[in-house]
Amino acid sequence: MTGIGQAQPEFPSDRVGRISTAVQTDAGSRAKPKRASPREVFKEMPLLVKISAVWLILIVFGAIYAKLDVAVFDGSLPLQNPNLLTNGFNADTGEFGTGDPIEGISGSHWLGTDAIARDTFARIIHGAWVSLIVATISAAFGIVVGGFLGALVGYVRGRTETVIMSMVDVILAFPALVLLLALVSIFEVRDLFVISLVIGVLSIPAYTRVARANSLAISNREFVTAARAIGTRPNSILFREIIPNVLPTLLSYAMVASAFVVVVEGSLSFLGLSVQLPQSTWGNMINQARRDIKVDIYQVLWPSLALSLTVLSLNQVGDWFQKRGSVRDSAL
Amino acid sequence: MRRVILHRLMRLLATLFAVTFLTFSMVSLLPGDPVDVILGQADRTPELEERVRSDLGLDRPFLERYGSWLGNSLQGDLGESYITGQEVSQLIKDRVPVTAQLAFMAIIMAVVMAVPIGILGAYKQGKWQDTVSSAAVQVALSIPNFITAIFFVWIFSVKLGWLPNSNWVRPSDGLFENFKRAIMPATALALTQMAIFSRLVRADMIATLQENYVLAARAKGLSDRYILMRHALRPSSLSLMTIIGINFGALLGGTVIIETLFAIPGLGFGLINAISRRDILVIQGITVFVATVYVVINTIVDLLYTVIDPRIRRS
C-alpha cells in the first residue's frame, strides 16, 4: 500500500493557500539577521525555478533594452523598429513592395513578421515593456499601499480594521476582470499610465488581506509583546517590528500576483481595451495574429509563448519563495 | 444555526448595498458632462438630451439619485440604452442563459477532470505520477484561456474541420449543433479552473490521508479505493465547493473573453459590445448584475457549507 497514511505534511500550495500567513522571522527580529545574497538564493533554487528566474531576467532586460532603444538612443541600437513595414510598402503610392507580408523565421527577422510585415521579435520585446510596467506598478501599489494598510489594521485592530476591511471585502466582491472592464471603460484615453493606475489601484485589496493576516500573526509574537513591554511607541513597533516582518511574504506574494496581473493585462489587450495601437502588447499581437491562423499559426504562437512562459515563471519563482519562507518559519 | 444564517444574510445585504453603490457611483466618476458621455454615439436631439438629464436627475443630490436607481433596479428596471434603445434588463435576460450554459459546462468539466488528477497526485505523492500531473497542472494554470481557445480553434476548426468556431446556436434550435459550438469555449474555460481545483484536491487529500480515521479505516482492512472515495474524498468535496464559489468570479471574467473570441451572444460579449460603444447604462447594468450573482453564489456556498459540516456550525 503506497500513499495512504504515509503522506508527508506539505504546505498547501493551492491558490487559496497562497495567501500565506507564514512569518519570516529572520528579516527584522532582534537576532542579527543573516541575509542570503542574490547569488546564494539563486544557488538554492531547483533547476526549473532557476530557468524561470533566468527567463524573467531576460524579459526584464529585453523590455528595458527596447525602451532605451526608442526613448534614449532613437532607434540606433541593434533592434528592428517594431512599427516599420518591412515589405517595402510605399505609403505615398499605396504600392506594395516585393516582400511577403507574413514571413517565417530568418536571419533578419528572428521570429518572422506579422500580417503587415512588422518584425515580430521587436514587437514582442516592446510588448514586454508594457507587461513589465503594469506588473511593477501594480506590485508597487499593492506592497506600499495595501501592505501598509494591512499591516496597520492587523496591528491596531478595532474600528479602523472594520472600516478598511469592509472596503476591501466590497472591492473583492466584484469579479476582478468585470470590475476592471467597467472601470477601464470610463476612460476615453487608455495609455500605459491609465492602465497601470487602474490595475494598480485594483491590486490594493488583495495585498491588504495578505498583509493583515500576516500582521495579525506577528502582532501576537513574543518580540512584539516584548517591545510593547519595554515601552516602545506604537509607531515604531509598526514600522520596525511589524512591517519588516510582513514585507518578505508580501514580496513573494507580489510574484504570484504579478503573474495574475500579466494575464489580466494580456486579456485587456486581447480585447483591445488596454494600451492602444500601434504600441505592441502581447495581448494585441495575439488578437491581431489570430485573424490569420488559417495562413500562419506561428504569429500567434510567439507572443503566446512569451506571455505563458512569463506567467509560468512568475508562478514558479513566487511559489518557491513562498515555500522557502514557510519552511524557514516551521524550522524555528 | 439560525443565528449563523441570519448573520450571513445580513452581511450579504450589506455587501450588495455597497456593491450597488460602487457601481452606481461609476457614472459620477465619468469625466466631463455625464450627458455627453452617456449619449456618446447616439443620435442626439435636444429632446433626448433633456430626457437623459431628467432620467438621471442630475439636479438632485447624489444619494437621492442612488435611492431611486436602487428602487428601480430592485423592480427589475435597469433603464434602457440610449444608444440601441433596448431595455437593459431585457438584454440581460436574453443573454444570461448563454453564459450560464458555458459556465455550467466549464465547472462540470473542470471538476470531472480535477478530482481524478488531484486524487492521483495525493495517492502517489512524490512519485512520478505526481510529478507529471503537477507539472501539467502548472502549465494549464499558466496559459491564459484565450490562448488555449485560439489553439483549439486552430486544431479543431482550421486543421481538422470538426467544430465550427462561430455562429452560436441556441440549445432550443438544435441540441447537438449547440453542443458542437459550446464544447471548445467551455473546455478553454474549464482548463484553468481544473488546474486550480486539482491543486486543492491534492493538497486537501494529502492532509486528510493523515487523519486518524483514515488510519483506522486502513486497520480495518478496507481497500484503498474505498478509503479514497468514501473517507478521503468526502471532506475534500467541501473545500472543492468553496473554491468553485470563489473562482466563479474568475470564470465569469473568463466568459467575457471567450464569448468575445467565439462571438457567443452571452453577457460577456454584451459587456464588451457595450464598452466599445461606451453604452454606460448597459455597462452599469451588466456589472451590477454579475457582481450580485457572484456575491449571492458565494453566500449560498457559505451557507451550504454551514449546513453540511456540523463542525463549522458550532464555532
Side-chain angles (χ1 to χ4, degrees):
Chain A
M1 197 168 185
T2 36
I4 294 184
Q6 300 160 1
Q8 294 299 309
E10 192 212 43
F11 180 67
S13 54
D14 54 274
R15 286 256 156 164
V16 174
R18 280 180 181 195
I19 300 176
S20 142
T21 50
V23 181
Q24 304 199 343
T25 28
D26 61 346
S29 59
R30 286 295 140 97
K32 237 334 183 228
K34 230 182 92 187
R35 274 283 176 85
S37 73
R39 186 175 297 175
E40 280 164 13
V41 174
F42 186 76
K43 269 190 189 152
E44 269 180 55
M45 291 177 174
L47 183 64
L48 265 176
V49 182
K50 264 186 196 148
I51 298 174
S52 306
V54 169
W55 172 262
L56 291 178
I57 292 169
L58 282 179
I59 290 290
V60 170
F61 274 107
I64 294 173
Y65 181 86
K67 189 64 190 173
L68 282 179
D69 182 36
V70 174
V72 181
F73 295 96
D74 209 20
S76 60
L77 290 180
L79 179 71
Q80 303 259 8
N81 179 344
N83 296 321
L84 180 73
L85 314 178
T86 58
N87 60 347
F89 177 73
N90 187 335
D92 293 330
T93 60
E95 279 172 16
F96 284 94
T98 46
D100 273 335
I102 300 184
E103 267 183 51
I105 294 176
S106 69
S108 51
H109 303 296
W110 289 2
L111 296 176
T113 56
D114 71 359
I116 48 175
R118 295 174 297 191
D119 183 70
T120 302
F121 179 76
R123 290 185 70 73
I124 284 183
I125 73 169
H126 274 275
W129 174 257
V130 173
S131 299
L132 175 69
I133 290 302
V134 173
T136 313
I137 291 188
S138 80
F141 263 92
I143 290 171
V144 174
V145 184
F148 174 75
L149 283 178
L152 177 77
V153 302
Y155 173 59
V156 300
R157 315 293 311 264
R159 189 169 292 168
T160 329
E161 187 186 27
T162 317
V163 170
I164 291 191
M165 291 321 286
S166 8
M167 275 155 59
V168 163
D169 285 343
V170 168
I171 296 178
L172 290 177
F174 282 93
L177 190 63
V178 175
L179 179 60
L180 178 64
L181 285 171
L183 279 179
V184 161
S185 68
I186 291 178
F187 296 94
E188 216 154 354
V189 183
R190 288 187 286 270
D191 52 14
L192 191 51
F193 176 74
V194 167
I195 296 294
S196 313
L197 196 72
V198 174
I199 295 183
V201 170
L202 285 187
S203 303
I204 294 173
Y207 282 89
T208 310
R209 237 184 217 181
V210 176
R212 172 181 166 270
N214 279 278
S215 170
L216 278 178
I218 292 161
S219 301
N220 290 324
R221 292 187 72 122
E222 306 79 13
F223 58 87
V224 176
T225 319
R228 219 177 263 152
I230 59 171
T232 317
R233 283 181 303 118
N235 265 348
S236 50
I237 293 185
L238 180 63
F239 282 102
R240 298 181 58 181
E241 309 288 348
I242 310 243
I243 290 181
N245 281 302
V246 171
L247 215 49
T249 324
L250 271 189
L251 287 174
S252 52
Y253 176 73
M255 289 281 211
V256 179
S258 297
F260 181 68
V261 165
V262 170
V263 173
V264 163
E265 193 284 323
S267 310
L268 271 189
S269 298
F270 181 75
L271 294 168
L273 295 170
S274 180
V275 185
Q276 299 295 299
L277 294 166
Q279 167 71 53
S280 61
T281 67
W282 294 340
N284 73 25
M285 290 178 72
I286 296 171
N287 188 30
Q288 288 184 316
R290 84 178 157 104
R291 295 157 214 270
D292 301 311
I293 51 172
K294 283 187 183 133
V295 188
D296 183 28
I297 188 71
Y298 288 101
Q299 294 308 316
V300 179
L301 182 65
W302 304 129
S304 299
L305 267 183
L307 179 52
S308 304
L309 283 178
T310 304
V311 174
L312 183 65
S313 303
L314 281 168
N315 277 330
Q316 291 284 333
V317 177
D319 276 354
W320 182 76
F321 271 112
Q322 282 190 346
K323 257 183 209 153
R324 183 167 170 265
S326 66
V327 167
R328 278 199 185 169
D329 187 43
S330 60
L332 276 168
Chain B
M1 179 81 176
R2 185 171 295 162
R3 254 191 53 208
V4 175
I5 295 181
L6 219 69
H7 180 242
R8 201 67 192 78
L9 288 180
M10 291 292 284
R11 256 184 61 195
L12 171 71
L13 274 183
T15 315
L16 282 181
F17 190 73
V19 163
T20 50
F21 188 79
L22 210 68
T23 322
F24 179 76
S25 43
M26 215 182 82
V27 174
S28 310
L29 276 176
L30 289 169
D33 184 0
V35 177
D36 274 349
V37 180
I38 284 178
L39 282 178
Q41 300 171 8
D43 303 323
R44 299 180 69 156
T45 53
E47 294 88 68
L48 189 59
E49 270 176 45
E50 204 37 56
R51 208 181 100 210
V52 174
R53 234 171 265 280
S54 72
D55 282 2
L56 290 178
L58 287 175
D59 44 342
R60 287 179 294 155
F62 179 79
L63 280 178
E64 199 185 314
R65 262 155 45 205
Y66 169 66
S68 62
W69 176 80
L70 189 65
N72 289 339
S73 307
L74 285 176
Q75 293 163 32
D77 175 15
L78 287 163
E80 55 188 60
S81 160
Y82 293 107
I83 294 169
T84 60
Q86 198 183 9
E87 258 184 54
V88 178
S89 49
Q90 188 59 42
L91 179 141
I92 291 177
K93 220 181 283 170
D94 288 345
R95 285 169 177 266
V96 164
V98 181
T99 303
Q101 184 200 353
L102 281 185
F104 190 68
M105 279 177 77
I107 289 178
I108 300 279
M109 274 198 281
V111 172
V112 167
M113 288 188 283
V115 169
I117 295 176
I119 293 178
L120 180 77
Y123 183 56
K124 300 275 185 190
Q125 196 198 357
K127 303 231 161 46
W128 67 267
Q129 293 97 327
D130 183 29
T131 316
V132 171
S133 67
S134 296
V137 162
Q138 270 290 343
V139 171
L141 199 61
S142 302
I143 305 181
N145 50 23
F146 57 93
I147 294 182
T148 329
I150 294 174
F151 281 93
F152 279 168
V153 169
W154 183 64
I155 296 170
F156 295 106
S157 301
V158 176
K159 287 287 151 186
L160 298 172
W162 290 351
L163 298 169
N165 67 338
S166 55
N167 301 322
W168 182 252
V169 174
R170 286 178 184 265
S172 50
D173 299 334
L175 213 52
F176 183 61
E177 287 303 309
N178 166 265
F179 182 77
K180 265 166 61 179
R181 284 159 179 84
I183 188 75
M184 273 197 297
T187 315
L189 284 172
L191 279 180
T192 324
Q193 305 283 314
M194 176 280 287
I196 297 167
F197 296 170
S198 72
R199 283 173 74 141
L200 177 85
V201 171
R202 176 177 174 277
D204 227 45
M205 284 281 245
I206 286 172
T208 320
L209 289 177
Q210 295 168 56
E211 295 273 352
N212 285 332
Y213 65 86
V214 173
L215 198 64
R218 270 189 69 196
K220 278 199 293 187
L222 296 176
S223 73
D224 276 14
R225 174 190 288 262
Y226 189 85
I227 295 174
L228 281 173
M229 293 304 158
R230 278 313 182 80
H231 293 259
L233 189 57
R234 239 195 227 173
S236 300
S237 58
L238 278 176
S239 27
L240 191 60
M241 208 172 67
T242 315
I243 204 162
I244 291 174
I246 293 173
N247 268 288
F248 195 69
L251 186 64
L252 286 173
T255 58
V256 175
I257 305 164
I258 293 297
E259 284 175 3
T260 309
L261 206 157
F262 288 92
I264 299 170
L267 269 187
F269 194 28
L271 181 64
I272 293 300
N273 281 337
I275 288 176
S276 65
R277 284 194 299 257
R278 280 171 71 82
D279 197 340
I280 300 291
L281 290 191
V282 177
I283 300 174
Q284 196 181 38
I286 293 181
T287 308
V288 110
F289 178 80
V290 168
T292 307
V293 169
Y294 180 49
V295 173
V296 169
I297 282 186
N298 270 306
T299 308
I300 293 175
V301 167
D302 255 24
L303 284 178
L304 274 181
Y305 208 114
T306 326
V307 174
I308 296 172
D309 194 339
R311 284 172 303 185
I312 296 165
R313 225 178 295 160
R314 253 173 263 132
S315 58

